[in-house]
């Protein structure tokens, strides 16, 4: 039996909160937790934008995703234990907590009201598939593409290169946009 999209999204939100707690308390491998948080939040936001937000007025939510993404990128760059890390983490938590509250109190109830149970399950399936795709693309290990083969590189390879080059907004770019941004950054 398929799970409805609201249950799936809410469950991700609770996972994100647990990761925030771990980071706030300085428990475990901080860099690994940041990497996990980064992948989960980006995949979650992408799946929402591509499969759930279309059809509902979620322009404001997309803006908030962008804000969170910028903070996430900064957190990945910051060294755990430094004041910079703490400051960025606090800002990210504040931004995401606000967004999650809005999603759970406005966006998701409005969605539940406007579509039936069957549609919520269909959306759940679509959300889950899109999220899995994105997670896979984000977790592929770094691979050195042979010189001049940029057009033939996969999105995840280009994404890794964009990360090294610190290209802003890279998580929202598709393969073509990433290749173009990398050429311009040269
Ligand atoms: Fe969400
Ligand atoms: Fe969201």
């Amino acid at each position: 039996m398929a799970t409805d999209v609201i249950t799936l999204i809410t469950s991700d939100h609770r996972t994100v909160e647990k990761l925030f707690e771990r980071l706030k308390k300085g428990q475990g491998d901080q860099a690994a937790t940041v990497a996990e948080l980064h992948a989960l939040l980006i995949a979650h936001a992408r799946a929402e934008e591509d499969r759930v937000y279309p059809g509902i007025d979620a322009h404001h939510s997309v803006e908030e995703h962008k804000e969170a993404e910028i903070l996430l990128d900064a957190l990945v760059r910051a060294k755990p234990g430094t004041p910079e890390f703490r400051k960025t983490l606090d800002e990210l938590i504040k931004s995401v907590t606000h967004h999650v509250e809005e999603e759970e109190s406005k966006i998701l109830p409005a969605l539940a009201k406007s579509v039936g149970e069957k549609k919520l399950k269909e959306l759940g399936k679509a959300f889950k598939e899109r999220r899995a795709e994105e997670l896979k693309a984000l977790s592929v290990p770094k691979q050195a593409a042979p010189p001049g083969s940029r057009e033939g590189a996969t999105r995840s390879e280009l994404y890794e290169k964009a990360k090294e080059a610190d290209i802003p907004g890279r998580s929202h770019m598709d393969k073509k946009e990433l290749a173009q941004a990398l050429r311009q950054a040269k």
Side-chain angles (χ1 to χ4, degrees), residues 24-41:
K24 267 206 290 196
K25 291 181 183 154
Q27 292 167 332
D29 182 340
Q30 299 282 283
T33 307
V34 168
E36 193 184 338
L37 178 72
H38 182 270
L40 173 61
L41 265 180

Side-chain angles (χ1 to χ4, degrees), residues 9-10 12-13 41 44-45 48 53 65 99-100 103-104 108 127:
I9 288 182
T10 312
D12 268 354
H13 292 167
L41 265 180
H44 174 93
E48 281 180 348
Y53 288 178
H65 283 179
H99 176 68
V100 162
E103 228 163 53
E104 292 185 8
L108 297 179
F127 172 83

Side-chain angles (χ1 to χ4, degrees), residues 97-162:
T97 302
H98 162 81
H99 176 68
V100 162
E101 265 168 26
E102 226 167 61
E103 228 163 53
E104 292 185 8
S105 69
K106 292 187 190 134
I107 305 267
L108 297 179
L111 178 70
K113 236 178 162 178
S114 69
V115 300
E117 218 170 291
K118 189 168 165 267
K119 178 75 180 165
L120 286 179
K121 286 191 173 159
E122 279 168 19
L123 284 172
K125 190 169 173 275
F127 172 83
K128 215 166 147 179
E129 281 169 5
R130 184 73 189 87
R131 180 185 176 281
E133 252 172 45
E134 198 64 26
L135 272 180
K136 204 173 151 202
L138 288 167
S139 64
V140 167
K142 224 177 267 183
Q143 266 173 24
S149 70
R150 196 160 273 173
E151 297 300 343
T154 65
R155 182 184 179 272
S156 57
E157 287 164 350
L158 292 171
Y159 180 81
E160 281 303 323
K161 286 197 181 298

